[in-house]
Amino acid sequence: MHNKTKWLIAGGTLATVALLAWAFAPRPVEVEVARARIGAFETTIDEDGKTRLADRYVVSAPLAGRLARIVLREGDAVAANSVVATLTPVLSPMLDERSVRELSARVEAAQANLERAATRIERAKVAHQQAQLELKRSEQLAQQGFVAPTKLENDRLAVAAAQKEVEAAVGDSHVATHELAVTRAALSALRPGSGGSRVFELRSPVAGRVLKVHQISETSVAIGAPLVDVGDTTQLEVVAEMLTTDALRSAVGALVRIERWGGPGTLEGRVRLVEPAAFTKVSALGVEEQRVNVRIHITSPAEQWRALGDGYRVSVRVVTLSMPQALRVPASAVFPRPEGGSAVFVLDGKRARLVPVEIGARNGTDAWVKAGLADGATVIVYPPAAVGDGVRVTPRAV
């Protein structure tokens, strides 16, 4: 065999080996990447809720009689102490004494409610004064730099909440006074010689709108029968049924974003109360859950949500953690380590490097990295199983 042929065979063999080596050599793994950035970060509890009137009043028949046709309809505006229904007492003589005794007991109960309302007003005023004093002390300490801004904000919210309690207590006192007057008037209509056939007028205890008319047509009604529901639709609150574990993280005064309420933009509110008693509710999957009502006060201007009514469905986001400056990475870039803790893959040139990180919190899209990562670092999102420490990778073109 000639030397030239030998060299050709050797060259072909080397070329074949090189081609096979190139063909079977591991290729860089294509990955998706994102950058770690500093920005606002917050965690929320998302839940469905519904609107509810802070106070709903039922105008009922204080005595048995003949009800005249009610001309009011749902949505009609009513003024405080305006007539909503008229009733003509028509009682059998055998029932007069029993009705008088029943109304006498209701008068005593109404007097007790009025006294209780007066006590609540005084208690609410004392709580308001205490909240004002606490706010004043916090403002003085804040000027000296001894109080965190969050403490000052919470004290201001406490003052506003105490003021709302005073207003609610005063409103309850007005309603109790109205109920006492109505019950006394009904009792006087049954007294001997009072002329039981006179027309008895039922009046609205508050200014607001008619929510429901229980009986429209003229008919005979029994004592205590509900006739008309009224309420002030400008005094709405949102009630969300939360899991008890989530409700414990919903602090009173926490910021709430109200979404999907049917109008433009997002409304804001504050957690006013986490009710102390929970209840059992069966989920759509048939699982028993312990839930509790979280009551939210709407703080956005009333003109913005004027179209909302009682019982409307909304979505709420209760903010449990808010940071204006935090290092964020996509939550899909963080994964648990077998030995404990969390880690991410960082793009180091053309290779992936495993970097342990300390995660402060997560939300639906991002994770807050407390330590272990620098601002601007490129991390691998949804790292494939083929990616490991030191593996060659190439960013996928978007």
Side-chain angles (χ1 to χ4, degrees), residues 16-175:
T16 302
V17 172
L19 182 61
L20 291 173
W22 177 83
F24 289 98
R27 295 285 187 273
V29 181
E30 286 191 352
V31 294
E32 296 182 18
V33 296
R35 288 191 178 275
R37 298 293 187 189
I38 292 180
F41 176 83
E42 66 179 24
T43 58
T44 61
I45 300 173
D46 301 345
E47 193 61 71
D48 289 334
K50 64 179 180 180
T51 59
R52 185 175 71 181
L53 288 178
D55 293 296
R56 188 186 188 102
Y57 303 95
V58 180
V59 179
S60 58
L63 45 81
R66 188 74 180 175
L67 175 70
R69 182 177 179 85
I70 299 177
V71 297
L72 293 173
R73 294 296 179 267
E74 287 80 357
D76 290 349
V78 292
N81 206 38
S82 61
V83 178
V84 296
T86 56
L87 190 67
T88 303
V90 179
L91 295 175
S92 169
M94 297 179 63
L95 298 177
D96 283 348
E97 184 61 27
R98 186 186 69 181
S99 300
V100 168
R101 291 181 179 179
E102 182 176 349
L103 285 175
S104 298
R106 293 181 63 182
V107 167
E108 295 178 0
Q111 289 175 336
N113 288 337
L114 184 59
E115 294 174 0
R116 186 161 51 247
T119 303
R120 183 187 172 189
I121 290 176
E122 296 301 322
R123 186 169 59 248
K125 287 181 178 180
V126 171
H128 184 246
Q129 291 176 355
Q130 290 177 341
Q132 286 180 320
L133 292 175
E134 184 66 24
L135 175 60
K136 187 176 180 180
R137 285 193 294 266
S138 297
E139 288 175 341
Q140 293 174 351
L141 293 174
Q143 293 175 355
Q144 302 173 8
F146 295 121
V147 171
T150 54
K151 175 66 166 58
L152 188 61
E153 179 65 20
N154 289 337
D155 288 343
R156 287 172 179 167
L157 291 173
V159 172
Q163 179 61 34
K164 289 290 183 181
E165 287 296 327
V166 172
E167 295 173 359
V170 172
D172 288 347
S173 177
H174 291 165
V175 173

Side-chain angles (χ1 to χ4, degrees), residues 8 12 40 45 60 65 78 84 92 99 110 140 154 161-162 187 209 237 239 285 291 293 301 316 333 336 345 347:
L8 288 175
I45 300 173
S60 58
V78 292
V84 296
S92 169
S99 300
Q140 293 174 351
N154 289 337
L187 180 60
R209 291 186 177 276
E237 65 180 5
V239 180
L285 299 177
R291 291 185 173 266
N293 286 330
V316 299
F345 282 117
L347 187 62

Side-chain angles (χ1 to χ4, degrees), residues 25-26 35 59 84 187 189 195 215 257 288 297 314 342 359 361 396:
R35 288 191 178 275
V59 179
V84 296
L187 180 60
Q215 185 60 251
R257 294 188 176 89
E288 288 189 354
H297 172 63
V314 297
S342 302
I359 301 300
R396 182 178 293 121

Side-chain angles (χ1 to χ4, degrees), residues 286-302:
V287 179
E288 288 189 354
E289 300 173 338
Q290 288 301 113
R291 291 185 173 266
V292 64
N293 286 330
V294 177
R295 302 169 66 176
I296 300 165
H297 172 63
I298 305 175
T299 56
S300 295

